[in-house]
Every structure is written in structure tokens, then in C-alpha cells.
Amino acid sequence: MTIGQLSVDGRSDNPLGIDDPAPRLGWQVTGSPADWTQQAYQIRAAATATDLADGRCLWDSGKTRSAAQTDIPWHGRVLTSRQRIVWQVRLWDSRGSVTDWSKPASWEMGLLKRSDWDPALWIEHGGRQLADPLPVFARAFTVDGRHGGDVVKARLYIAGVGLYEAHLNGQPVTDEVLAPGSSNYQLSVEYRTYDVTRLIRPGSNTLGVELGHGQALVTRSVTLPATGRTAPYSWWQSQFKGSGALAAPAAPGDTTVKLSSVSGYHVGGTVNVDTADGGDRLESRTITAIGTAGADGTGITFTPALARQHAEAATVTGSGNSLASTDPSAGAAVPPRLIARLEMTRANGSVQTIVTDHSWTTSLGPTTTSNWYSGSDYDARREQPGWHKADADLSPAATRRDGTPTGWVRAGVAPPPNLTTELVWRVAEPVKIADRISPVSITQPSPGVWVFDFGQNIAGWPELTVDGTVPQGTTITMKPSESLAADGTVNQASIMGGGAGRGTNVFATYTTRGSRHGETWHPRFHYFGMQWVQVTGLPAGYTPTAATLTAVQLHAATPTAGTVTTSDERINRIHRMAQYSITSNMMSTFTDCPGREKLAYPADYLQPFGSLHRNFGYSAYLRTMERHLAEGQSRAGDNIGNVALKAPVYDWGYTGQFGDEINWGNGIILVPWHLYEVYGDTQTMARYYPQMQAFMKYIRTQKAGTGADTYIVNAALADWIGAESTSGRITGTWGYHQIADRMAKMAGLLGRDADAADYRSLASHIKTAFNDAFYNSDLGRYTSQGAAGTTGASQAAQALALDEDLVPDGERQRVVDALVELVQAFHPFGGGPHFSGGTIGLAPIVRALTQAGRDDVLWDVLQEDTRPSYGFFMAPTTANPQGLTTLPEQWDMGNSKNHMILLQIEEWFHSGLAGIRQARDGAGYRSLVIDPRVVGTLTHVEGSYHTPHGRVATEWSLANGTFRLQVTVPPNTTAEVRLPRGGHAPETPAGARFQHFDSDRAVYRVPSGTYVFVARGIRAAT
């Protein structure tokens, strides 16, 4: 028996840089005997593996009676910055036997206080203008390895706005890409900790960093006609904040400055005085009041007082809005800047530190434009070979490949994005290269135009490789798309949106340096959604091959959680489409689509979370998403507590249809709930409980109605993208009940009994109001007018009530029958049955039918090819000759063709066909239910899921009426096995205890282990 997967805050990869002073621990057991349960554990932790083996512990929990394997709080000594923890665990079982100690795992603390970064400063290329190439930074240093000076440990702590790529002595410091990740830069910037010990060498060393804009600066104003970039596309644009000059001198002790302009500044934000000339006189202060402009105006007041003299006309800038109110605060433009610490510990214990400051040099690099949406332009002639290698020439005499001066200058000191900006560790897994895909075909729709088909829609990069015959200065253009035009060229309509006013250019260009050895390049500071890439600009007579272009798939390196395979290729194909939609929208944050918008809408990942979590593990990833949601909560004005429609909130803000919606903002409550329900985590709900309460207060006081509508909420987006209309009053009130109920449960778990009682009472009132307003007892269904009318009886209206357990006692079957009737009768373009649910309604429709045992209806829906249906997505079209390979945003295939909203049928594949789910009201999959559904023409299904306790797996087959089911139940869990009943008594394994019959199921209970059940006389549901 082995104890493994030792995890800290959901990460089991020995993470570096944790900034959680009280992390939660967990582990899993494999290879245990059947019916193994944990009765107690002992954790011990030390500073080193040697100390651990010798018993010199920082913490020894002693034998602790508990069956818990997750959410175990650290109770050792207070953790400090840079501290390394090596730990292990042993367990006792129900028989009193104790295991061996697990192999040690480790984690390392990051920099827990702002002062830990001192004396590192934010730096920038001080003379860079908005349209200039992206900056690169370098720092040469020497390591003296004499007299016990060999470096035995080296850590690089680094954060860049918006993105960075770092090399040490010519080698990348990590295999992470698109680092550090998206943020509301007015409140946080993610940093990383890298172990660079292996990259340090005695003597000369060089650390080099290139910066990209990412989402910190998005604009359509930067063009490059030489490459054809005349109308860069972007879904939104950054807001440029306060900028001007002192209208009068400022003296030490002043708490007010007179400015040429006071627009674009924010109370609670930052005013940066004297930012020019390399930032030598820079002072940043927190704004307390904003007055009027000019030498005679009242200016801007701040705290604390200035410490230096500043001349009239000195440059002054401002930050974004850290309090939000109604402002899309994360969208404030932040030009590229960098902060870093390199700490090298020698064998003799001394530490050599390199920090960002004026000692760094900077120049304008080969990336000539970079736009998160539109793409980038790269001119390899502007490269300085070896600029980040040891012994690099960083002098004014250094030259580029084309012979022009590199232009190294002293780095300037920059202000932070805001004085409220914290440097935070990313709990979620980093984005990495997941796959490299060769084209399945290459076509030439017209001379000089080559279209590469990769056979699969993904999020990632086109990687170009050309041989040594391509001359210097050749500009090659790569245009991505999810579709083809009728003439065989790419159709980019689905990766853009909002009309031509938002731009029409989405592509990347590479201008060759003319190497006789060939050249390879891919973008680094953005990514595309793409299945096809159109290449132009290759020299006349140059015929590309499959090696010319590779699709580099990117996504967050979250662990694989589940699998499902069936005997039906149609279901398998939908499953593959769903998986690729998930991976395409699992980047630094969840996104809605990899082109077009690229924004983290909570409903887009939380409504289908029953599908998402069965494919990938999000125990760490969701913790980062909750930080974004908390940072996306308004802290001022009438909107205090509201959470915007996406977080980080780069566009729109907190008001109107696309800024103020209960079923999107409620992510701040549902993320902690999902972390508990799926992974057993209670830390996140405890940590963000005040923010969750603030959102509840906002809904109760600002969104709920009055009088008869006291408990009714009207949701502006209703069932977004649904194929039929559902009242926003139904979806809003359903959402109100959902968060009240979950808050009651979480308050109870946290011991906040008074709050729990209050929220339970609220949920009860909402349920009563929901039925009073919307249930028509004569019809046995929910309508938008309730007893007063018959319209609005959509599929979603029935399913929301069923799924949230809002249906009155004794009425459930009538509502189920209504739902089935509505699904079977919905055929707006012929055929049928069809789903009509959208973002809010689809998952409840799937779950309600599954719970009711109406798998036959779900099966029939999947056989349909008419719109709206999954078959409609798979049908060949001119735009997609082999059908879609990911799931689109809308039932009519409008907008993006790579989205997660409509993949919610995926939940049935795992919980219904493979039959793996947890018991109702369970948490962390400790109590399992195995309930495979034999339906349609299926003859075989196998599935698995990595629960927090280990792997549960099922495999069933049906042949000539004989149903055979093999079940593997992980250690320290139990399972209820629900076997279809036939005409004969089933063959049951030892260890399975019969419980009762439930309709057409025989119910058994089994402990951990592997079991085989056989039932005869079984017919599939049709």
C-alpha cells in the first residue's frame, strides 16, 4: 500500500512560492486491501529531508483520529518567507494497523510581505512610446565560486506586467508560457518562484527578460502598415488613466499638487509625481481628494506628504480605480514593467541578491507590435544574438542582426500599477504547452495562399519553420480561423465580434533574419483560437510541407480527472468536442472563448462545472478564480458587493445588462461551494466569507423586489443563448434561492449558526415566493405568470425548479412529465426531440432528466441532427467540412465555435452512462453512487474519475441481455451500487450487501475494492 499525491492547497507538484500562511494538506492511498478505511493520521514536517528522518520536526501532529484525507490545516509553527517544508504522513486503518511513512513531499513559501521584495523596484523602458517595439531587460552579474562560494540554491522571484519571458544564461527559467497570468492589476499581479540553481554558473551570468502587453494594455491605436496591421481587432480597449504635468512646483511636505489635468484619476488610487528621467525623483501617493486643474485649481490631494522637491512641468500619471464602483477597474492601461529578485545561496551560507533597479539595462526588442486579440509582429532582424547569454554584450556598442545599434540604456524606475497592487502567488497550475499538432492537409486556394488544416480547433500558437532558402526581410503572415470561406481561404468571423469598429486584423507575422540554417518562430505574448491557419508571404516557388507549420496547443496544466469511452462513436465525438472546448478555455483563467472575447465569465464555467470537473481537477485552479472574483467585487458607491459579469473585469463594469447579473456575479459564492462539494475544501469559504456576505447583501437590498416581489429577482440575461425564452424572473429567483441555500450550508459548516439560520429562512421564503409566482398547479408546470397564465413554460423553467428542489411536495412527477413533453415537442426547425436550454437552463435539464430516470429522452436528443442539436454541430458545412470539432457558443453556431456553455450534456456521459457520481448532499466524493444507465444501442461504457480519495472506475457491457458491471471503489470511501433489474437474480460479489429495490434498480452497498456484478434479462431503455 502506498500513500501518495501529497498536496498543499490542491497542488501535488511540490510547489514553490506559496503565500498562504495556513495551507491545507491532503493525500491519497493506492494499493490498499478491500474495505480499507483510515481511522487516524500522523503528519510530520521539517526543514529538510535529513531533519525529517532524524526527527527534528517543525510540526508533528501526533496520532490524530480522523478519516479526513483533504482540507487538513497546517498546525505547525508560523510559516515564514522562503521557508521550505518537507513533510510526510502515515495512517492507521480500522484494524489498528499503521502504514509506513509516505515518501516526503515538499513546498516552499514565497515572499509573504511587501518588504521581502526590498530593495527591488519596478522598472521600465523609460523612453518607450506606446507604438514602440516591446522592451527587453538584461542584468549581467558575476558569481564568485571561490572559498565555499558555490551556489547551492538559487530562486528567481519575478512578476511582469502584462506578460514576461525570462532566460538565465540563454536558457528559459521555466516551461510555463504566457506568465504570469491575468489579473486586476490595480489590486494584484501574480508572481512566480523559479528554482534556477542549475542555470547559475561561476563567473559571468546574464538574466534577461522580455515583456509583453497581455491584458494589461489592449489598444487598437497601434498599427503597423508594413505588415498589413492597419485595423487591429480587440473586444475591448484599455482605459488610459491620468496623465499630465505639474502646473506649479511641489515642495517637500506638500499633500496637494496642482496639475495640468485632473481627469482620469481616482480617489483611493495612486498619483505618481515626477515619472520622467528614469524615475529618479518618482514619488507615488494615495489620492484622498480630486479637485480642479490648473495652477489656480485645487489639484489632487494625497497621503503621505511628498519628500522631495518637484519642478513645474514635471510629468505626473495616475493609476486605475482600485475601488471599482461602476468602473471596469481591471481595464486600466498599465504599460510593461518588471520587478524581480534573484537570490543565490552559497555553500558557506552567504546570499548574493540581484534585484530590479537602475543597474539593469533595457532596449526595444524584436517584437514590434503585440495585441492580446489582434496578434503580434516579430522582426528577427532586430534580434541581438545571445543578449540573455552569459558574457552578453549589453554595451552601447551592441548591435542587432541587421547591424543597427541595439540601443541598450539604463532601465528606468516605474511606479507599481497602483499602490493597492499586491504581488500574489498563483495557486492555480501554470499554462504550458500541452500538444504539438501537425496539419492533416495543406491546400492552395490561390497562388501564394496556403491553408493548413490541423483537424482540430484548439487554443494556441502557429509555429512557423522555414528552411535556409528564405531570404532576409521576408514577412510571412499567419491568419488563424475556426472556419473556411467558400473559396477555401480562412473565414475569421467567429474569432472576432462587435463589427468592424472593433477592428478586422487577427494574425501574426514573422519577418525573417535570413539564416542559412532555417528559422523557427511562434508568438509568445498572445494566443489564438484556431483550426486552420492561412499562410501568405512565402517566396515565389516555395512549397510548404507539413513541417512548415505546427499547431502548438496551450492550456493550464491542471491534472486529468476523468475519462469516459462508449461503444457509440457519436457520443465519443461529442465527448472529444467537449474536452477540446474545455482545454481551449482553461488558460490563466477560465475564458468564454479563445478568440473573440477571451474573458472569464463565471456562468460560463460554473453552470457546466458538473461537466468540467469530471474532466480536469480544479482544486487549486478554483482558488485562483475566487481571488479574481473577490477582486472583481465593487467596493464603492451603490454597487458595493456587486460582482461584475466577468472577473477580472476589463470591460463594461458593474451596471446594465452585461454588468449586473445575479447568475454571473454569484460565482463569488458558488466557487467556494464547488470547492467544498467536489474537493472537500472549507478554507476558501472561510477566507472569502465576508465577500460572499457582501454579495448576498447586495442582492437582498439592491436586486430583490418589494411588496409581492420581495423575494423575486429579475435576471437581466435570463437563460442566455437559450433556444427558447425563459423569464428572467424565473432564472433570477432560482439563482437567489441557490445562493441563499448554499450560504446557509457554508455558514453552518463554518459554525456561523445565526447566519445559517438567517439564510435558511431566506431560502424558505424564496422557495415559497417562487412557487406562488411561477407554478401553475392546474397545468403541473412552471410558467412566467404562474397560475395567472400559460406562457413561458419553457424546458428551463421546469428543470430549474426540479434541479434546485423547489417543486412542491407531491408535484415532482407532474413537472418531470411536463419537462419530457416540452423536450419532445420542441422542434423549431423540424425533427425532435431537442433541448432548448442555454447557459442557465441546460445543465439543470440534463440533471433533472437523469435524476428522473429519463435517459431515453437524453439518448433520443443526441440522435437528432436538426437544429438545435449536437448532430447539427457535427454536420458537414462549407465553413466546417468535417463538422465542428469543439462546441459552439450558440445553438445556431453563431459567434464563437469554441465555447463551454453547451457542453453540459457531458455531465450525463460521466454520471449517467459511466454511472459515477457522489451521494446527494455529499462532499469530496467520500460517499459514491454507481448508477450506470443502459440506454439506446450502447453495448459498452467505461469511465473513471480521480476523486480526492483516489480513482473510482466503472466498466459495463451488455450482450444478449447479460449486463456485466465492474466497479473499483477507492480506499477510504464506500459506494452505493445501483444495478438494473432483470428477470433473474443477479450475480453479486463477496462484500456487496443488498439494501433494497428502488423501482427498476437493485441497490447494494460496497466498501473500497473491485467488484463484478452480473444481471441477466436486461433491456436498454428506449
Side-chain angles (χ1 to χ4, degrees), residues 648-694:
V649 52
Y650 295 110
D651 70 334
W652 198 274
Y654 294 81
T655 59
Q657 183 183 24
F658 297 109
D660 188 9
E661 228 286 358
I662 184 173
N663 289 320
W664 274 254
N666 64 4
I668 200 166
I669 291 171
L670 295 184
V671 164
W673 174 253
H674 286 315
L675 277 166
Y676 168 71
E677 186 178 44
V678 177
Y679 305 108
D681 167 47
T682 60
Q683 180 192 48
T684 306
M685 67 175 72
R687 180 164 292 165
Y688 291 98
Y689 191 79
Q691 291 90 335
M692 293 154 59
Q693 282 188 305

Side-chain angles (χ1 to χ4, degrees), residues 535-615:
V535 175
T536 56
L538 291 168
Y542 189 102
T543 301
T545 68
T548 302
L549 207 67
T550 300
V552 181
Q553 185 192 21
L554 309 176
H555 64 74
T558 54
T560 298
T563 62
V564 63
T565 304
T566 80
S567 56
D568 186 89
E569 181 50 35
R570 188 180 185 92
I571 289 176
N572 294 342
R573 180 174 170 184
I574 298 169
H575 170 60
R576 286 194 300 273
M577 293 166 70
Q579 283 195 311
Y580 274 99
S581 284
I582 295 170
T583 56
S584 298
N585 290 290
M586 191 171 71
M587 305 300 283
S588 164
T589 66
F590 283 118
T591 62
D592 62 325
C593 47
R596 189 176 159 86
E597 299 179 53
K598 294 184 178 179
L599 291 169
Y601 292 89
D604 289 12
Y605 58 87
L606 292 174
Q607 295 305 324
F609 195 72
S611 298
L612 268 60
H613 85 265
R614 287 174 164 91
N615 284 278

Side-chain angles (χ1 to χ4, degrees), residues 620-973:
Y621 194 90
L622 278 188
R623 297 171 201 239
T624 291
M625 294 310 302
E626 181 68 2
R627 173 173 61 79
H628 289 306
L629 287 160
E631 291 177 354
Q633 187 169 47
S634 182
R635 294 162 172 79
D638 294 337
N639 292 284
I640 289 177
N642 188 20
V643 177
L645 204 71
K646 75 281 294 182
V649 52
Y650 295 110
D651 70 334
W652 198 274
Y654 294 81
T655 59
Q657 183 183 24
F658 297 109
D660 188 9
E661 228 286 358
I662 184 173
N663 289 320
W664 274 254
N666 64 4
I668 200 166
I669 291 171
L670 295 184
V671 164
W673 174 253
H674 286 315
L675 277 166
Y676 168 71
E677 186 178 44
V678 177
Y679 305 108
D681 167 47
T682 60
Q683 180 192 48
T684 306
M685 67 175 72
R687 180 164 292 165
Y688 291 98
Y689 191 79
Q691 291 90 335
M692 293 154 59
Q693 282 188 305
F695 182 75
M696 282 297 304
K697 181 179 180 181
Y698 174 76
I699 297 298
R700 291 176 88 163
T701 60
Q702 301 294 321
K703 302 303 294 180
T706 59
D709 285 347
T710 297
Y711 300 102
I712 302 295
V713 171
N714 190 5
L717 297 182
D719 189 19
W720 182 248
I721 64 88
E724 67 174 334
S725 177
T726 298
S727 168
R729 285 165 54 85
I730 289 177
T731 62
T733 307
W734 165 83
Y736 193 17
H737 182 274
Q738 185 182 45
I739 57 175
D741 176 77
R742 306 316 185 263
M743 282 295 290
K745 292 173 179 176
M746 287 188 281
L749 289 165
L750 297 175
R752 297 174 176 266
D753 296 338
D755 288 350
D758 176 45
Y759 290 130
R760 277 195 301 271
S761 174
L762 175 61
S764 177
H765 286 300
I766 297 169
K767 179 175 181 177
T768 299
F770 184 90
N771 285 301
D772 289 346
F774 308 121
Y775 188 58
N776 188 316
S777 58
D778 292 337
L779 299 176
R781 63 186 62 190
Y782 288 85
T783 74
S784 55
Q785 299 91 23
T790 61
T791 61
S794 66
Q795 296 176 28
Q798 319 314 310
L800 292 170
L802 290 164
D803 190 50
E804 188 60 20
D805 200 21
L806 296 173
V807 180
D809 292 343
E811 296 291 294
R812 188 172 185 86
Q813 189 58 51
R814 295 182 72 199
V815 180
V816 168
D817 292 343
L819 173 59
V820 170
E821 179 185 331
L822 290 164
V823 172
Q824 292 174 335
F826 189 67
H827 41 79
F829 299 93
H834 299 100
F835 291 145
S836 67
T839 306
I840 306 303
L842 185 54
I845 292 169
V846 172
R847 284 194 293 265
L849 291 171
T850 304
Q851 185 177 359
R854 295 310 305 265
D855 306 277
D856 57 319
V857 178
L858 293 164
W859 174 268
D860 289 345
V861 166
L862 290 182
Q863 310 315 305
E864 262 305 314
D865 292 330
T866 54
R867 171 180 158 196
S869 70
Y870 295 97
F872 181 68
F873 301 153
M874 295 186 285
T877 64
T878 299
N880 298 90
Q882 303 302 317
L884 298 186
T885 59
T886 49
L887 293 168
E889 181 177 357
Q890 299 181 175
W891 287 113
D892 64 0
M893 294 194 288
N895 296 336
S896 170
K897 293 185 176 180
N898 195 346
H899 218 282
M900 298 192 296
I901 283 178
L902 297 179
L903 60 73
Q904 300 174 24
I905 188 64
E906 174 81 2
E907 184 171 352
W908 181 61
F909 298 164
H910 294 264
S911 66
L913 301 185
I916 298 171
R917 66 178 192 269
Q918 69 172 326
R920 186 177 178 87
D921 298 325
Y925 280 82
R926 179 90 195 279
S927 182
L928 298 163
V929 175
I930 307 300
D931 186 13
R933 306 300 173 89
V934 184
V935 62
T937 58
L938 286 174
T939 58
H940 177 260
V941 176
E942 58 181 303
S944 66
Y945 178 64
H946 282 276
T947 78
H949 299 86
R951 180 176 180 267
V952 55
T954 63
E955 181 176 3
W956 65 262
S957 61
L958 179 65
N960 301 318
T962 298
F963 175 81
R964 183 182 186 276
L965 171 66
Q966 179 171 301
V967 179
T968 298
V969 180
N972 205 33
T973 69

Side-chain angles (χ1 to χ4, degrees), residues 290-543:
I290 300 172
T292 56
D296 297 326
T298 54
I300 287 182
T301 303
F302 48 79
T303 186
L306 294 174
R308 296 186 178 97
Q309 182 77 30
H310 301 279
E312 182 179 349
T315 304
V316 179
T317 64
S319 73
N321 183 356
S322 57
L323 300 177
S325 184
T326 62
D327 185 41
S329 55
V334 184
R337 61 200 62 191
L338 165 72
I339 189 169
R341 285 182 63 91
L342 174 61
E343 299 179 359
M344 295 164 284
T345 304
R346 297 186 175 93
N348 61 15
S350 63
V351 179
Q352 180 181 355
T353 303
I354 304 296
V355 300
T356 45
D357 54 20
H358 279 312
S359 65
W360 286 58
T361 55
T362 181
S363 71
L364 300 176
T367 302
T368 50
T369 74
S370 181
N371 182 303
W372 187 242
Y373 292 91
S374 178
S376 60
D377 300 298
Y378 187 94
D379 189 341
R381 297 171 299 180
R382 293 179 53 85
E383 295 173 344
Q384 177 187 328
W387 68 273
H388 47 52
K389 291 184 177 180
D391 299 313
D393 183 0
L394 305 178
S395 73
T399 59
R400 308 182 192 278
R401 293 186 187 276
D402 62 6
T404 60
T406 303
W408 291 108
V409 296
R410 185 183 73 150
V413 172
N418 200 324
L419 289 176
T420 55
T421 303
E422 298 290 345
L423 291 164
V424 299
W425 181 66
R426 174 181 172 83
V427 186
E429 294 81 2
V431 177
K432 295 188 177 184
I433 293 174
D435 199 5
R436 307 177 72 87
I437 304 171
S438 297
V440 297
S441 70
I442 306 170
T443 58
Q444 188 181 19
S446 62
V449 178
W450 302 93
V451 176
F452 292 74
D453 178 5
F454 293 99
Q456 178 61 56
N457 201 358
I458 64 163
W461 297 323
E463 183 176 80
L464 176 71
T465 299
V466 294
D467 64 29
T469 66
V470 178
Q472 182 188 72
T474 301
T475 297
I476 301 166
T477 301
M478 292 154 277
K479 292 180 64 174
S481 77
E482 298 177 327
S483 308
L484 293 177
D487 64 359
T489 60
V490 295
N491 178 347
Q492 294 187 301
S494 68
I495 62 172
M496 290 184 271
R502 288 181 175 173
T504 56
N505 299 153
V506 177
F507 58 78
T509 71
Y510 176 75
T511 300
T512 58
R513 64 180 186 266
S515 171
R516 61 187 179 87
H517 301 294
E519 303 174 45
T520 296
W521 176 85
H522 59 65
R524 288 169 294 160
F525 299 121
H526 63 88
Y527 66 95
F528 296 128
M530 61 186 195
Q531 178 170 337
W532 289 271
V533 177
Q534 180 173 295
V535 175
T536 56
L538 291 168
Y542 189 102
T543 301

